[in-house]
Amino acid sequence: ILGKDDVSAMNPYSVSGLCALLGNVIILVDDIDSVDFEVKNNNVDVLIRLFSDLNTLDCNYVFICTANNASKINKCLIGRADRIDEVVNFDGVTSEEAKKFFEDKFSGQDIDQSCERLFQQIQDEGMTYSDLGNLVQLVTIYFDGKVTCDSLSFAIKRVVDTKKLSNSTDTV
């Protein structure tokens, strides 16, 4: 498993050597969209060299990259032979899934029907299950785990603001 900071430090020859030794390998690069391809152009070169080396070996490998924003992945890595062949998107949760998630996490609490608009907001914001986990943490920390429309609204605003801030700093 490689993180964003590991890509520039990665030696593609040692990774491909490991693949040759093991025969079957899964390589996971987490948050590839946060790898700095602009400043460190060698990051693209490292990944292309890794793909090239792996394709010359007699081994089976699966190369998986995770990304929160696929549009930030360097275009020369996607859709070309022997590179990233396919992009799979996972949609955000529906309002019904969000409500069920909260009911499961906070069992025993009656979640007010007037909070339905907030579950719809969760869907409209394209929140993921990871975001729902963050909402649960915020409600637990700031409101002692009491799910109300106010606590849920507060948590949603914090998660949305954090995502916006994260996205704006990625584009600066």
Side-chain angles (χ1 to χ4, degrees):
I1 298 176
L2 303 170
K4 66 178 183 173
D5 297 327
D6 299 325
V7 172
S8 60
M10 178 180 60
N11 180 342
Y13 302 111
S14 60
V15 174
S16 58
L18 184 62
C19 181
L21 178 68
L22 298 174
N24 297 317
V25 177
I26 298 173
I27 301 167
L28 174 68
V29 177
D30 190 30
D31 290 334
I32 194 170
D33 55 326
S34 62
V35 172
D36 189 354
F37 289 114
E38 297 300 320
V39 175
K40 298 178 182 175
N41 287 330
N42 65 330
N43 286 336
V44 174
D45 294 337
V46 166
L47 289 171
I48 290 172
R49 195 171 32 229
L50 175 62
F51 291 134
S52 297
D53 290 350
L54 289 172
N55 288 317
T56 64
L57 299 174
D58 186 27
C59 70
N60 296 315
Y61 71 93
V62 175
F63 193 87
I64 300 172
C65 304
T66 67
N68 294 315
N69 186 347
S71 68
K72 292 183 180 180
I73 301 171
N74 191 295
K75 301 298 181 236
C76 73
L77 298 173
I78 298 177
R80 296 194 180 173
D82 301 325
R83 296 192 187 161
I84 299 174
D85 298 322
E86 189 172 337
V87 175
V88 179
N89 290 308
F90 296 95
D91 295 329
V93 297
T94 65
S95 59
E96 295 82 19
E97 291 168 333
K99 183 176 181 182
K100 176 149 180 33
F101 185 87
F102 268 83
E103 290 171 345
D104 290 346
K105 291 293 180 189
F106 297 102
S107 60
Q109 288 190 45
D110 288 329
I111 297 179
D112 192 342
Q113 288 297 103
S114 64
C115 294
E116 291 297 323
R117 65 178 170 73
L118 296 172
F119 293 115
Q120 185 61 48
Q121 182 183 357
I122 289 170
Q123 176 178 320
D124 295 345
E125 293 288 349
M127 289 192 178
T128 64
Y129 278 101
S130 176
D131 295 327
L132 293 185
N134 291 335
L135 294 176
V136 167
Q137 286 181 337
L138 289 167
V139 168
T140 301
I141 291 168
Y142 289 100
F143 298 93
D144 295 323
K146 292 181 179 48
V147 181
T148 65
C149 292
D150 287 341
S151 66
L152 193 53
S153 179
F154 169 85
I156 290 170
K157 181 173 180 358
R158 290 285 297 264
V159 169
V160 168
D161 289 348
T162 300
K163 288 174 78 168
K164 285 179 183 173
L165 180 62
S166 174
N167 288 336
S168 70
T169 58
D170 287 346
T171 57
V172 172

